[in-house]
Amino acid sequence: MLNRIKEKYRLHTCVGISLRQDSAGLSIRCCKVKLEKDQLEIEETWEVDDWELLASNRYKDTPVALHLDSRQILIKETAPMDLDEERLKPIFPSYDVERFYHAQLQGESKQWVAFVRKDYIVEMLDRLMVSGYQVIKVFIGPFVLDAILGQINSYSDAYTFDGHSIHVSGEDKRWQDYRFGSEFESRFALKIGDHPIKPQYLTAYATAFSALMADYVPEYGLLIPEVEEQHQAWLEKQKFKVNLVILVAVFFVLLLVNTFLFSHYYQENMALGDRVSNQQSTVQDLGKLEGGIKSNEVLLTELGWNGGVSKAWLLDQIGYSIRQFTQISLTQIQVNPQSKGMGNTVIQQADQIIIKGSSPTLEMLNLWLRELKNNPWIANVSIEEYGNKQQDETMDAFTIKINYNDKVEGN
């Protein structure tokens, strides 16, 4: 994962500009290359012959790799050796580290060294800066072509195009010979991979390619402090963009997690609220029953019958037995109910309790009755009705009758 992120920190687009200035005049060849999903794509090539036309181009917000190919570049051929200031003097007597930059390529049995004046480099960089371009790499000489020779459709060990003639060894593809002249032109159409390309744009493509693939190809660019600073600035800008995308992605994931947790706990809270509401309804129902019981006790006192087992104790036992069956609702409890006999006489049903209410299922009602039967004060319990026997009753309405023992102790 970390390696993938580091790959994103690389530059992914670059304009290669190859500036050729000779007796034929000024020619500025440009090639825009894009790196996407480990694939390089040549997006556009174009050519202008003056600085004003270059300044009007629309790719000023893209980093530029510059290649200089003009009379100001001196190329020397020598035997392979480790070069330092003392060894460069014999090759180029006018060489001064304060006045010149140099680049080199070591071939199979030869070595080529390119020299350029620093003030010329400064002049070209200033021209590009005035035109609105920001240069991140500078190359001189043909050495930058070394990185792309293997991509060109060639059927031999010789490459001839746009004034360049390069011969390489058959095994390790190291340079054996290099020549430059107007007579060296390609005899067939050129391609980079499967992409056709005109010969004059090959150096511009190689320049952009070497800038984008700097970590994977030999370094033939000049070490110019100002250019290196510009290169680092572009890399930091790319790194900032990638980090910003990663940060937004992380915040998005956190937002999704937060939304999921909120939804989960919200549903938990709603379920808890429903359970509390059901319990409160049961408490309210019991409160209503207690109020009715007290009213009935008053009536019993008025009737002069207030002996035997405590009616409050009986109701307390009934309430205690129903504690686990919260879905059963009680609407009426009659202790020793009264009925009318012949001649409108009132008959007292002693040692009997009539309970009315509602239960969602008959099974739940039977479970409650089994719980009731475990009490020693109950002699018998039976279901009198279940369902809407009358028009004003619901489908889950019930009526049960309890015969109790009036001699229960401990009440």
Side-chain angles (χ1 to χ4, degrees):
M1 183 64 180
L2 185 60
N3 290 334
R4 290 185 179 181
I5 294 176
K6 288 182 178 179
E7 285 293 316
K8 296 294 184 181
Y9 288 161
R10 295 166 50 190
L11 295 178
H12 289 81
T13 184
C14 182
V15 173
I17 297 179
S18 179
L19 189 149
R20 177 173 290 186
Q21 195 170 17
D22 52 23
S23 58
L26 175 65
S27 177
I28 304 174
R29 292 90 174 270
C30 305
C31 178
K32 186 172 186 287
V33 180
K34 184 177 182 180
L35 175 63
E36 186 173 10
K37 295 181 180 179
D38 299 328
Q39 296 291 328
L40 280 171
E41 179 183 354
I42 299 176
E43 290 194 331
E44 186 177 355
T45 56
W46 69 98
E47 184 177 5
V48 295
D49 56 8
D50 64 51
W51 291 100
E52 291 184 2
L53 291 176
L54 183 67
S56 63
N57 192 271
R58 63 183 180 278
Y59 293 124
K60 295 180 181 180
D61 58 344
T62 305
V64 168
L66 174 65
H67 172 262
L68 297 175
D69 184 9
S70 69
R71 293 178 178 179
Q72 304 292 333
I73 311 299
L74 176 65
I75 300 176
K76 292 286 188 175
E77 182 181 299
T78 181
M81 68 179 73
D82 293 331
L83 296 177
D84 55 23
E85 188 172 357
E86 294 301 321
R87 290 178 177 174
L88 287 170
K89 285 282 187 179
I91 299 173
F92 180 38
S94 300
Y95 178 76
D96 181 358
V97 70
E98 300 295 331
R99 297 174 51 221
F100 291 91
Y101 289 115
H102 76 279
Q104 65 188 58
L105 181 145
Q106 186 167 335
E108 187 176 49
S109 59
K110 300 177 183 179
Q111 182 170 275
W112 291 268
V113 185
F115 299 91
V116 63
R117 296 195 327 272
K118 289 186 176 182
D119 56 358
Y120 178 70
I121 295 291
V122 172
E123 179 186 350
M124 294 299 102
L125 292 177
D126 288 343
R127 278 183 172 271
L128 285 169
M129 184 178 66
V130 170
S131 299
Y133 293 92
Q134 300 180 39
V135 179
I136 62 168
K137 285 285 184 181
V138 177
F139 302 90
I140 60 173
F143 314 141
V144 71
L145 294 168
D146 181 59
I148 68 158
L149 291 182
Q151 303 177 38
I152 302 174
N153 58 321
S154 176
Y155 308 99
S156 67
D157 296 328
Y159 299 88
T160 303
F161 56 87
D162 194 33
H164 300 287
S165 175
I166 304 171
H167 289 260
V168 298
S169 61
E171 296 181 359
D172 55 8
K173 301 300 180 182
R174 298 182 68 184
W175 289 29
Q176 292 179 328
D177 187 59
Y178 171 75
R179 295 287 183 272
F180 181 82
S182 58
E183 68 274 15
F184 299 122
E185 295 295 339
S186 177
R187 292 172 295 176
F188 51 85
L190 297 178
K191 291 183 180 180
I192 293 292
D194 296 329
H195 192 283
I197 188 170
K198 293 182 179 180
Q200 65 267 33
Y201 297 122
L202 278 172
T203 305
Y205 166 76
T207 303
F209 175 86
S210 295
L212 291 177
M213 307 299 291
D215 295 334
Y216 305 96
V217 299
E219 177 59 80
Y220 296 119
L222 301 181
L223 297 178
I224 305 172
E226 296 81 359
V227 175
E228 289 300 314
E229 289 178 6
Q230 192 65 52
H231 187 200
Q232 288 301 317
W234 274 99
L235 290 176
E236 290 298 325
K237 185 185 298 185
Q238 178 68 18
K239 185 176 181 180
F240 174 78
K241 291 180 180 178
V242 172
N243 289 342
L244 182 61
V245 171
I246 293 174
L247 186 62
V248 171
V250 169
F251 276 119
F252 180 73
V253 171
L254 291 176
L255 181 61
L256 286 179
V257 172
N258 181 68
T259 302
F260 173 77
L261 292 176
F262 175 80
S263 176
H264 172 73
Y265 286 113
Y266 178 77
Q267 292 176 0
E268 289 286 332
N269 185 60
M270 292 294 292
L272 181 61
D274 291 340
R275 290 196 295 270
V276 171
S277 178
N278 290 333
Q279 292 176 357
Q280 289 177 344
S281 298
T282 303
V283 171
Q284 291 175 357
D285 292 341
L286 290 175
K288 292 179 181 178
L289 289 174
E290 289 179 358
I293 290 169
K294 291 179 180 179
S295 176
N296 289 333
E297 287 179 346
V298 172
L299 292 175
L300 289 174
T301 301
E302 292 176 353
L303 290 172
W305 192 95
N306 57 354
V309 67
S310 171
K311 310 307 181 293
W313 182 85
L314 291 175
L315 294 176
D316 182 67
Q317 294 297 306
I318 292 172
Y320 183 80
S321 67
I322 204 173
R323 69 191 185 283
Q324 296 179 354
F325 306 94
T326 58
Q327 292 181 287
I328 297 178
S329 298
L330 305 183
T331 58
Q332 183 180 357
I333 298 179
Q334 300 180 44
V335 181
N336 300 337
Q338 296 176 346
S339 62
K340 290 185 178 181
M342 296 181 63
N344 290 329
T345 61
V346 177
I347 302 175
Q348 193 84 25
Q349 305 293 331
D351 302 333
Q352 190 178 105
I353 301 174
I354 301 296
I355 300 176
K356 294 189 176 187
S358 61
S359 173
T361 63
L362 182 60
E363 180 181 3
M364 185 176 292
L365 181 60
N366 283 322
L367 289 174
W368 178 41
L369 296 187
R370 291 193 192 101
E371 179 75 14
L372 281 172
K373 289 178 180 180
N374 293 329
N375 292 282
W377 57 273
I378 292 182
N380 185 47
V381 59
S382 61
I383 300 175
E384 298 296 301
E385 293 179 356
Y386 183 83
N388 55 341
K389 298 293 183 180
Q390 298 182 19
Q391 185 175 0
D392 58 345
E393 291 180 338
T394 59
M395 292 294 294
D396 55 358
F398 66 84
T399 300
I400 65 173
K401 181 173 72 174
I402 298 174
N403 295 103
Y404 66 91
N405 185 358
D406 194 38
K407 305 300 183 182
V408 175
E409 296 180 357
N411 58 80

mmCIF file of all heavy atoms in Angstrom, residues 85 220 268 283 286 307 324 375:
data_model
loop_
_atom_site.group_PDB
_atom_site.id
_atom_site.type_symbol
_atom_site.label_atom_id
_atom_site.label_comp_id
_atom_site.label_asym_id
_atom_site.label_seq_id
_atom_site.Cartn_x
_atom_site.Cartn_y
_atom_site.Cartn_z
ATOM 1 N N GLU A 85 37.779 17.341 -13.251
ATOM 2 C CA GLU A 85 38.165 18.613 -13.875
ATOM 3 C C GLU A 85 39.506 18.525 -14.576
ATOM 4 O O GLU A 85 39.687 19.086 -15.664
ATOM 5 C CB GLU A 85 38.181 19.706 -12.812
ATOM 6 C CG GLU A 85 38.393 21.099 -13.388
ATOM 7 C CD GLU A 85 38.218 22.189 -12.347
ATOM 8 O OE1 GLU A 85 37.877 21.857 -11.192
ATOM 9 O OE2 GLU A 85 38.429 23.366 -12.705
ATOM 10 N N TYR A 220 21.034 11.638 -17.255
ATOM 11 C CA TYR A 220 21.861 12.383 -18.214
ATOM 12 C C TYR A 220 21.609 13.883 -18.144
ATOM 13 O O TYR A 220 22.130 14.649 -18.954
ATOM 14 C CB TYR A 220 21.573 11.895 -19.643
ATOM 15 C CG TYR A 220 21.965 10.448 -19.876
ATOM 16 C CD1 TYR A 220 21.018 9.508 -20.226
ATOM 17 C CD2 TYR A 220 23.287 10.035 -19.721
ATOM 18 C CE1 TYR A 220 21.362 8.178 -20.433
ATOM 19 C CE2 TYR A 220 23.646 8.712 -19.923
ATOM 20 C CZ TYR A 220 22.686 7.792 -20.282
ATOM 21 O OH TYR A 220 23.038 6.474 -20.473
ATOM 22 N N GLU A 268 -31.176 1.044 18.190
ATOM 23 C CA GLU A 268 -31.165 0.486 19.540
ATOM 24 C C GLU A 268 -31.960 1.368 20.503
ATOM 25 O O GLU A 268 -32.719 0.877 21.349
ATOM 26 C CB GLU A 268 -29.720 0.343 20.030
ATOM 27 C CG GLU A 268 -28.920 -0.744 19.339
ATOM 28 C CD GLU A 268 -29.344 -2.130 19.793
ATOM 29 O OE1 GLU A 268 -29.809 -2.252 20.938
ATOM 30 O OE2 GLU A 268 -29.237 -3.075 18.991
ATOM 31 N N VAL A 283 -47.641 -0.350 33.702
ATOM 32 C CA VAL A 283 -47.743 0.315 35.001
ATOM 33 C C VAL A 283 -49.016 1.142 35.081
ATOM 34 O O VAL A 283 -49.715 1.156 36.112
ATOM 35 C CB VAL A 283 -46.496 1.186 35.250
ATOM 36 C CG1 VAL A 283 -46.686 2.060 36.486
ATOM 37 C CG2 VAL A 283 -45.256 0.312 35.414
ATOM 38 N N LEU A 286 -51.939 -1.183 35.542
ATOM 39 C CA LEU A 286 -52.015 -1.642 36.923
ATOM 40 C C LEU A 286 -52.531 -0.542 37.851
ATOM 41 O O LEU A 286 -53.267 -0.794 38.814
ATOM 42 C CB LEU A 286 -50.638 -2.129 37.392
ATOM 43 C CG LEU A 286 -50.151 -3.435 36.759
ATOM 44 C CD1 LEU A 286 -48.735 -3.744 37.213
ATOM 45 C CD2 LEU A 286 -51.084 -4.591 37.136
ATOM 46 N N GLY A 307 -64.960 -9.277 55.157
ATOM 47 C CA GLY A 307 -64.197 -10.261 55.915
ATOM 48 C C GLY A 307 -63.444 -11.200 55.003
ATOM 49 O O GLY A 307 -63.382 -11.035 53.799
ATOM 50 N N GLN A 324 -44.367 -11.153 34.180
ATOM 51 C CA GLN A 324 -43.544 -11.578 33.047
ATOM 52 C C GLN A 324 -44.299 -11.512 31.723
ATOM 53 O O GLN A 324 -43.706 -11.692 30.662
ATOM 54 C CB GLN A 324 -43.041 -13.013 33.260
ATOM 55 C CG GLN A 324 -42.112 -13.153 34.474
ATOM 56 C CD GLN A 324 -41.657 -14.587 34.659
ATOM 57 O OE1 GLN A 324 -42.114 -15.484 33.962
ATOM 58 N NE2 GLN A 324 -40.755 -14.801 35.609
ATOM 59 N N ASN A 375 -50.102 -21.133 42.606
ATOM 60 C CA ASN A 375 -50.384 -20.477 43.881
ATOM 61 C C ASN A 375 -51.316 -21.350 44.725
ATOM 62 O O ASN A 375 -52.382 -21.801 44.228
ATOM 63 C CB ASN A 375 -51.038 -19.108 43.649
ATOM 64 C CG ASN A 375 -50.062 -18.134 43.011
ATOM 65 O OD1 ASN A 375 -49.201 -17.596 43.684
ATOM 66 N ND2 ASN A 375 -50.212 -17.920 41.708
#
